[in-house]
Amino acid sequence: MNRLGSATSPYLLQHAGNPVDWWPWGDDAFAEARRRDVPLLISVGYSSCHWCHVMAHESFEDESIAAQLNDGFVSIKVDREERPDVDAVYMTATQAMSGQGGWPMTVFATPDGEPFFCGTYFPKQSFARLLDSVITAWREQRDDVVKQGAAVVQAVGGAQLVGGPAAPISAELLGAAVVALLKDHDQTYGGFGGAPKFPPHMNLLFLLRHHERTGSAEALETVRHTCERMARGGLYDQLAGGFARYSVDATWTVPHFEKMLYDNALLLRAYTRLWRLTGDVIARRIADETAAFLLRDLGTASGGLASALDADAAGAEGSTYAWTPAELVEALGEDDGSWAADLFRVTPSGTFEHGKSVLVLARDIDEADPAIIARWQDVRQRLLAARAARPQPARDDKVVASWNGLAVTALAEHGTLTGSDVAREAAISLAGVLADRHLIDGRLRRVSRDGVAGDPAGVLEDYGCVAEAFLAVHQVTAEPRWLDLAKQLLDVVLAHFGTGAGGFYDTADDAEKLVTRPADPTDNATPSGASSICAALVAYAALTGETSYREAADAALATLGPLIEGHPRFAGYSAAVAEAVLAGPYEIAVATHDLADPLVEAAFRHAPGGTVVVAGEPDRPGVPLLAGRPLIDGRAAAYVCRGFVCDRPVTTPAELMMRLDHPSTGR
């Protein structure tokens, strides 16, 4: 065992038995490199990364490669999910030097951490030659290597969008972003761009909110089309539910099979909101199944949701999920096997490797004859039982604060919109885990595992996503605790993360100092720290009337305006928050003695995305939205406000729906 044996990260533990003398990230590793006067190898990955596993098997488990590394380097292994700040700094350097990024990320750096050569996956022989070349350069061309590292650090620091131009949010800016997005829409298969194709969850949320604000039929249809194609494809697990990370093709047929918590949380929000707007049966089914997947397959014994399921099982990618026609017949019998092969498009030639096929839903079955639906569901369950006998993918069971925050918000929305008590109670329970385990001495910790918080400090996205989650739970419970906790997190951000120019850094001013201080505003696999904190600031201001938080949100959104305008595919969450801001956002208070009153359901069910809703006793202590909001003639009353300006209260669901569909300020 090397120094990783006591790590909390499952990814680091996967390398604890390597012959490489790995060090965890920390001052001790840097000091050792200085003592030995050798460069650093910084290897960054995560536990469900297929090519990380490949490079580990080819190189890091190889005695000859290990000998090269141990003789010539201090080798550091980093879990990018635990340390997104470290990952961000070196990913920016990797992209600057190689023109692309990805994982595993392979960085050679000076003992001070300044990167001088970066790449991603290297096959064993290429990696061995590279190690020799770096060792030679370090010994014979030290001055050039050090200068290269300093130049890279300067370039990386200059790449941060801090103090740059601003563009205040406007209807015109968001309209132009929608036009640009729709130009990239794949009219045949949905989604944006070509292969590899990632689920565009945040852009879907943006388009849904844009439709709600403007009535754009094209925005809504783009979301419907994309959601249906993804749900019918191999990207979606047709047996157990849950979405894979991405599709290797443009048709959503063959996925990269890892399943990430953040993708499924964000897609749960998108499908739930799509169902709310359209009543589409398939959207509701996918939302329900995705919520069930999160709780069933990612729930941990100590509370919280696990990060991911691996792409691989028994050393082979996708081996759990792919089928041949013969395997279907073996599991189901001749008649049902042939029927399933047609339904799931399992062919003799296959769509995946070794003549196997990834299951897709080739027939429109959600609204078929009840007997057909019953047969389909029976086949699904029998195939799932057969699949359970196969090797199963490993699970990364660390709990990441920001990703669990995304899940809390999604489950809270799903619970209130569909009436699912299971989803609602799960959201409250998960929020409790974040509050009780990850919030320590007023500051967030990034990860926990087996009920114990890890050392890495929370980054901006943790504060934003968790604050937004606490605000979501405040809305479904009307409990003051959650509002107070959200304020605590937002105040930390305003005190310690600001750039001084309206925006935010990704790390606090008192966090560990890296070679540069990261500040990435782009929405990629998850909402950026900047966009998530804007969402929380807007919601908190709407719930409390404390305008200073709204002013901070407006200033931060203005720094994101150029990104929304120029690169909308990488600003989906920022744009979704901006849509809520242009809509007001709506603030709805339902004063009632009875939470089962139909007015409460109508408020949650018909409120546009980005709206804040609280229902409860009038003037409930610690709940500002209910202050001064009495019953009307002894009846429950809904108060609809926008930008802190309120219309007269209404007492019936019909009146409330009319108010939301036809606001007094016009659409």
Side-chain angles (χ1 to χ4, degrees), residues 17-101:
N18 291 169
V20 177
D21 186 18
W22 290 113
W23 292 68
W25 177 270
D27 291 338
D28 289 348
F30 287 79
E32 178 68 5
R34 294 187 193 101
R35 185 189 71 77
R36 290 179 52 198
D37 191 28
V38 296
L40 299 167
L41 166 76
I42 304 171
S43 176
V44 185
Y46 57 104
S47 72
S48 57
C49 165
H50 171 69
W51 288 103
C52 299
H53 296 321
V54 172
M55 191 164 179
H57 295 321
E58 288 181 347
S59 295
F60 301 143
E61 295 173 6
D62 181 82
E63 295 287 349
S64 62
I65 294 290
Q68 286 181 280
L69 287 169
N70 296 341
D71 289 345
F73 301 86
V74 167
S75 301
I76 300 176
K77 179 60 72 173
V78 178
D79 182 341
R80 66 172 289 260
E81 296 172 353
E82 275 198 338
R83 293 301 303 264
D85 50 342
V86 173
D87 177 68
V89 167
Y90 291 109
M91 183 57 72
T92 303
T94 300
Q95 291 170 331
M97 295 189 74
S98 68
Q100 61 184 13

Side-chain angles (χ1 to χ4, degrees), residues 491-523:
D491 287 346
V492 168
V493 168
L494 294 175
H496 293 286
F497 285 79
T499 65
F504 297 99
Y505 289 102
D506 289 329
T507 55
D509 55 11
D510 54 0
E512 176 190 354
K513 298 298 185 289
L514 304 175
V515 292
T516 63
R517 190 177 177 190
D520 184 359
T522 57
D523 297 318

Side-chain angles (χ1 to χ4, degrees), residues 86-381:
V86 173
D87 177 68
V89 167
Y90 291 109
M91 183 57 72
T92 303
T94 300
Q95 291 170 331
M97 295 189 74
S98 68
Q100 61 184 13
W103 300 276
M105 179 164 51
T106 306
V107 176
F108 296 94
T110 69
D112 292 326
E114 296 185 339
F116 58 83
F117 186 84
C118 307
T120 53
Y121 162 76
F122 292 96
K124 177 183 172 182
Q125 296 304 319
S126 299
F127 191 51
R129 292 192 296 269
L130 177 61
L131 295 178
D132 285 338
S133 298
V134 171
I135 291 170
T136 299
W138 182 254
R139 291 172 179 166
E140 300 177 4
Q141 299 170 289
R142 178 76 60 88
D143 289 345
D144 292 338
V145 168
V146 172
K147 288 178 182 178
Q148 171 83 350
V152 171
V153 169
Q154 184 176 9
V156 169
Q160 306 298 335
L161 297 179
V162 176
I169 299 302
S170 67
E172 291 75 20
L173 185 148
L174 293 179
V178 168
V179 170
L181 266 181
L182 296 183
K183 284 182 180 177
D184 277 347
H185 176 226
D186 184 335
Q187 299 287 340
T188 303
Y189 298 108
F192 303 97
K197 190 175 279 186
F198 291 80
H201 26 57
M202 289 174 280
N203 284 316
L204 299 178
L205 291 170
F206 166 40
L207 291 173
L208 287 172
R209 289 188 181 180
H210 185 77
H211 162 76
E212 289 176 302
R213 183 177 63 84
T214 68
S216 169
E218 189 174 8
L220 179 60
E221 184 53 36
T222 297
V223 176
R224 293 180 77 165
H225 179 225
T226 296
C227 283
E228 181 172 349
R229 296 299 306 209
M230 289 193 302
R232 294 186 183 283
L235 184 80
Y236 186 70
D237 184 343
Q238 299 296 336
L239 302 184
F243 288 88
R245 173 78 277 264
Y246 64 86
S247 171
V248 301
D249 49 53
T251 65
W252 308 110
T253 301
V254 177
H256 187 54
F257 292 90
E258 67 198 58
K259 293 180 181 178
M260 310 301 296
L261 169 58
Y262 52 76
D263 285 321
N264 285 281
L266 289 163
L267 287 165
L268 172 57
R269 291 184 73 180
Y271 279 90
T272 299
R273 289 285 174 182
L274 177 61
W275 168 76
R276 185 192 78 79
L277 286 168
T278 64
D280 287 352
V281 174
I282 190 172
R284 173 63 187 269
R285 174 173 66 83
I286 298 301
D288 290 348
E289 291 177 359
T290 303
F293 162 77
L294 290 176
L295 302 179
R296 181 191 64 240
D297 291 358
L298 297 184
T300 70
S302 56
L305 298 180
S307 298
L309 299 180
D310 275 10
D312 300 6
E317 185 180 7
S319 58
T320 305
Y321 303 102
W323 299 79
T324 64
E327 287 171 334
L328 294 180
V329 170
E330 182 181 1
L332 301 171
E334 191 68 43
D335 288 345
D336 281 347
S338 298
W339 187 83
D342 176 70
L343 177 64
F344 294 124
R345 197 181 294 146
V346 177
T347 66
S349 58
T351 57
F352 185 50
E353 298 170 350
H354 312 299
K356 294 198 171 190
S357 295
V358 180
L359 303 187
V360 302
L361 192 57
R363 298 284 180 266
D364 186 1
I365 201 168
D366 280 273
E367 298 181 80
D369 182 273
I372 299 296
I373 292 176
R375 187 179 189 186
W376 164 48
Q377 297 292 15
D378 175 64
V379 162
R380 289 179 79 191
Q381 292 306 311

